[in-house]
Amino acid sequence: MNRPDPQTPAHHHNRRAWDALVRENQRFTRPAPDEDFLDPLAKMDGVGWLGGDIRGQNVLCLASGGGKHGALYAAAGARVTVVDISPAMLELDRQVAAERKLDVRTVEASMDHMPMFADGEFDLVVHPVSTCYVPKIAPVYQEVARVVRDAGLYISQHKQPGSLQADVTPARRGYELVEPYFREGPLPAVVGSQHREEGTLEFLHRWDELLGLMCRAGFVIEDLVEPKHGRADAAVGSFAHRSHFVPPYVRVKARKRGSVSPGRRIQLIAP
Ligand SMILES: C[S@@+](CC[C@H](N)C(=O)[O-])C[C@H]1O[C@@H](n2cnc3c(N)ncnc32)[C@H](O)[C@@H]1O
């Protein structure tokens, strides 16, 4: 299906914002360090969702520019394509790939519009935190469902809505919810938050959008984890302290439903 390009002013804003974050050498724009390449798959898949071997798999690293995800999956033996909206983030992927002699294809595109890819082209789509940068999440899931093959995996990480609602600075008894859960438009600009990226436009997606829309796009959720960043003894107001009250992220393992033969269906529920 040929869908119209859904790019909005927020897309253009975030492209410029991420290019600027690269120029400022901010976090998430730094390539993977040498030690991550000792066991690249273990680094990227600490939970063990990928079965310990992705050699030869066709992997889409979605909204993954920055010289980390693409390089590590390629070092683990996958055939890697990195998609990102920011040319500067993709340039980092090309630099790292050249330095480490890895084969990484880079494509400048928005995660909700990837007409350059064929239906079912990828075995696996990995998608680090970035759905917060698009106003609507349904077109993203529809595109991922289209480009991943039947029974292929979609591993994604998202900002939890509660974390986007909670104040950056602590109140007397914890972190107050200062943003409504049901809201329209981007979140207010933030300064000094380790949970948000300054200069970007971010959107809160509710649980019924994060998970319900994923299911409705054609995925079955097989597992879900909340990566632990909190520490009870952390300094009040620090990233680790706030994360002890409000988990910042959720990671989801989903598999594309497909028209499967009875034999394959058994494989789907008992991988
Ligand atoms: C938090 S970074 C993820 C990759 C990062 N290297 C990391 O270590 O997690 C978020 C990425 O999303 C990208 N991005 C933002 N909006 C996008 C969109 N609409 N389509 C594709 N990529 C987008 C940004 O350019 C940025 O590279």
Side-chain angles (χ1 to χ4, degrees), residues 54-204:
I54 57 163
R55 281 174 299 173
Q57 287 194 29
N58 208 7
V59 175
L60 173 61
C61 294
L62 185 55
S64 294
K68 176 178 163 189
H69 292 75
L72 288 169
Y73 281 102
R79 284 179 288 136
V80 168
T81 302
V82 179
V83 159
D84 204 283
I85 204 166
S86 154
M89 287 294 263
L90 291 170
E91 181 54 29
L92 291 172
D93 291 288
R94 288 189 288 271
Q95 281 170 14
V96 172
E99 278 160 24
R100 296 190 179 273
K101 301 193 173 16
L102 294 167
D103 196 7
V104 173
R105 171 168 69 145
T106 56
V107 177
E108 186 183 326
S110 182
M111 61 182 108
D112 43 18
H113 189 63
M114 301 182 282
M116 63 293 293
F117 301 135
D119 295 359
E121 184 167 336
F122 297 99
D123 301 301
L124 165 66
V125 177
V126 292
H127 190 180
V129 173
S130 57
T131 47
C132 51
Y133 304 115
V134 289
K136 294 204 180 310
I137 208 168
V140 179
Y141 289 160
Q142 284 158 11
E143 268 302 70
V144 177
R146 185 183 68 75
V147 302
V148 74
R149 68 166 168 78
D150 286 354
L153 275 181
Y154 175 36
I155 310 281
S156 58
Q157 184 153 313
H158 311 264
K159 293 192 179 178
Q160 293 210 15
S163 178
L164 293 173
Q165 286 180 274
D167 208 349
V168 177
T169 49
R172 199 167 55 84
R173 296 175 56 206
Y175 294 82
E176 292 176 341
L177 293 186
V178 292
E179 284 302 321
Y181 187 64
F182 295 92
R183 49 167 301 116
E184 293 293 326
L187 290 153
V190 72
V191 179
S193 170
Q194 291 279 302
H195 293 83
R196 303 263 312 275
E197 283 68 56
E198 280 176 34
T200 65
L201 286 179
E202 292 185 76
F203 298 84
L204 181 157

Side-chain angles (χ1 to χ4, degrees), residues 34-48:
D34 286 346
E35 62 262 29
D36 289 1
F37 288 86
L38 295 175
D39 189 349
L41 188 57
K43 179 69 197 168
M44 299 315 286
D45 183 34
V47 197

